[in-house]
Amino acid sequence: MSTARLDNAAAVFITPDVRRTAGYYRDVFGFTVVEHYDAEEVFAAIYRDSVEILLVQARRGEFQPNAVRYGAGFDIYFDPDTVEGVDSMYEELKAKGARVVREPAMAAYGTYEFVLEDVDGRLIGIGRIRDRETFFRGIFE
């Protein structure tokens, strides 16, 4: 019996206003939006390059990003295809009005990254491993 190969994973963001969040990711990040606002569970699927995110309208409760709810963690982390792509994305997103929380810099764990905050308060890390030895801590030796 053969084992199926996973082809993709899509993040799911619960949001207080799916239209507003979809518009932000379209206008700032350049995602294409596929609207499903008439579905029983209102959502939008957004796409850029090989990234897919599902934005789902909250029905109850209050959305809180990971850093608020749990005191730690990004809500998503994007990996450009090169380390130089980190700076390119930084310039692109900053020019489109993205809220920069942390400028591009080396992190202690070996990635070159920057951090944004989206329209809902989610922290978005964007980076690429620059120092494999630090990041992987001897795993590949």
Side-chain angles (χ1 to χ4, degrees), residues 28-138:
V28 176
F29 277 87
F31 277 81
T32 298
V33 178
V34 178
E35 301 172 356
H36 292 276
Y37 301 151
D38 58 350
E40 183 177 334
E41 186 170 71
V42 176
F43 76 99
I46 61 173
Y47 302 91
R48 177 174 170 171
D49 304 321
S50 63
V51 174
E52 175 183 11
I53 301 172
L54 302 176
L55 307 173
V56 180
Q57 180 70 47
R59 289 187 177 174
R60 63 177 176 274
E62 180 182 330
F63 165 75
Q64 293 182 316
N66 288 341
V68 173
R69 185 173 182 121
Y70 305 110
F74 295 119
D75 293 280
I76 198 164
Y77 196 93
F78 295 128
D79 293 320
D81 58 349
T82 64
V83 172
E84 295 77 21
V86 175
D87 288 325
S88 296
M89 286 209 72
Y90 173 76
E91 294 301 328
E92 171 193 344
L93 298 173
K94 186 175 176 185
K96 291 181 179 177
R99 184 177 181 279
V100 177
V101 174
R102 194 167 64 230
E103 304 279 328
M106 281 298 292
Y109 39 84
T111 63
Y112 180 63
E113 65 186 26
F114 66 99
V115 181
L116 302 176
E117 182 178 85
D118 81 359
V119 68
D120 295 326
R122 286 180 195 84
L123 291 183
I124 302 167
I126 300 175
R128 186 86 182 171
I129 296 169
R130 180 179 267 173
D131 181 347
R132 293 180 60 81
E133 186 174 312
T134 299
F135 189 86
F136 291 107
R137 298 177 158 213

Side-chain angles (χ1 to χ4, degrees), residues 3-48:
T3 303
R5 187 177 88 69
L6 295 175
D7 188 49
N8 185 35
V12 178
F13 289 171
I14 304 301
T15 179
D17 184 340
V18 72
R19 289 172 177 83
R20 177 175 168 240
T21 304
Y24 171 85
Y25 279 90
R26 180 196 60 230
D27 298 343
V28 176
F29 277 87
F31 277 81
T32 298
V33 178
V34 178
E35 301 172 356
H36 292 276
Y37 301 151
D38 58 350
E40 183 177 334
E41 186 170 71
V42 176
F43 76 99
I46 61 173
Y47 302 91
R48 177 174 170 171

